[in-house]
């Protein structure tokens, strides 16, 4: 029966212990150092952790996309809710990475028309959550209405197709594809 007390079964613990120790040893490997705490709750339309994630994903994915498709990624869109933890100041471990993004998502590139990206910009501003972006600059007016959307520092062409990096979760949702 399930009770409020836990009586450890030593045989189970001795069986699991080597696996737990191996996983903990692997997860405690230091990947880098973070000079300041990165947090998705500190920022109205952008956050330092969102920018880091979007920038890192483009840095990793763009060379592969160029090699495979002979095209470059124009920008990146990820979701605010996909960031599940902060990156605290100090050593960043594999465990930290899994805590920040604990999902087994894949990076995918979707082809979006400029008008779809403009619709997304309106959605982001209306939702008032800082979604991680890379290469896409949204300016708003004093009434929080989208004034302009830039890609490659140029106004988007509503008819042009842009290659946008995102997660498979978003690519399969109505948020990014509109389907």
């Amino acid at each position: 029966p399930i009770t409020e007390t836990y009586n450890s079964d030593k045989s189970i613990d001795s069986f699991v212990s080597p696996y737990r120790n191996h996983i903990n040893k692997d997860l405690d490997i230091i990947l880098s150092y973070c000079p300041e705490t990165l947090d998705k709750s500190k920022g109205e339309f952008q956050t330092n952790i969102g920018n880091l994630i979007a920038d890192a994903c483009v840095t990793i994915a763009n060379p592969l996309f160029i090699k495979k498709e002979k095209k470059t990624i124009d920008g990146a869109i990820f979701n605010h809710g996909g960031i599940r933890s902060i990156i605290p100041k100090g050593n960043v471990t594999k465990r930290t990475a899994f805590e920040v993004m604990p999902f087994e998502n894949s990076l995918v590139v979707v082809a979006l028309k400029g008008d779809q990206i403009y619709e997304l910009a309106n959605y982001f501003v209306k939702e008032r959550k800082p979604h991680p972006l890379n290469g896409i600059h949204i300016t708003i007016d004093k009434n929080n209405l989208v004034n302009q959307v830039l890609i490659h520092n140029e106004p988007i062409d509503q008819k042009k197709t842009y290659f946008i990096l995102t997660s498979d979760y978003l690519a399969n949702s109505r948020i990014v594809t509109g389907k």
Side-chain angles (χ1 to χ4, degrees), residues 47-143:
T47 64
N48 53 11
I49 195 168
N51 290 342
L52 172 70
I53 289 169
D55 293 350
C57 288
V58 169
T59 298
I60 290 167
N62 200 40
L64 300 172
F65 190 64
I66 292 168
K67 185 176 181 179
K68 184 174 181 177
E69 300 295 329
K70 309 291 186 255
K71 299 172 184 165
T72 60
I73 293 171
D74 295 303
I77 296 172
F78 297 97
N79 62 316
H80 174 80
I83 303 170
R84 295 300 176 110
S85 181
I86 65 168
I87 298 176
K89 179 179 180 176
N91 290 334
V92 178
T93 63
K94 283 186 176 183
R95 182 182 314 277
T96 309
F98 280 109
E99 289 169 349
V100 171
M101 298 183 82
F103 311 106
E104 292 186 12
N105 291 352
S106 298
L107 294 175
V108 297
V109 178
V110 294
L112 297 178
K113 295 283 188 193
D115 60 343
Q116 292 173 297
I117 296 169
Y118 200 84
E119 286 178 42
L120 282 168
N122 282 307
Y123 172 79
F124 295 154
V125 172
K126 181 180 175 186
E127 192 179 44
R128 299 195 66 79
K129 288 184 180 174
H131 295 282
L133 302 175
N134 169 282
I136 301 169
H137 301 276
I138 303 167
T139 56
I140 57 175
D141 63 21
K142 64 182 178 181
N143 298 316

Side-chain angles (χ1 to χ4, degrees), residues 14-28:
S14 64
F15 177 77
V16 172
S17 182
Y19 301 102
R20 179 178 47 238
N21 293 341
H22 175 75
I23 289 170
N24 282 334
K25 184 178 177 183
D26 185 52
L27 291 177
D28 290 338

Side-chain angles (χ1 to χ4, degrees), residues 25-37:
K25 184 178 177 183
D26 185 52
L27 291 177
D28 290 338
I29 291 172
I30 296 171
L31 302 174
S32 66
Y33 179 83
C34 186
E36 66 180 87
T37 297

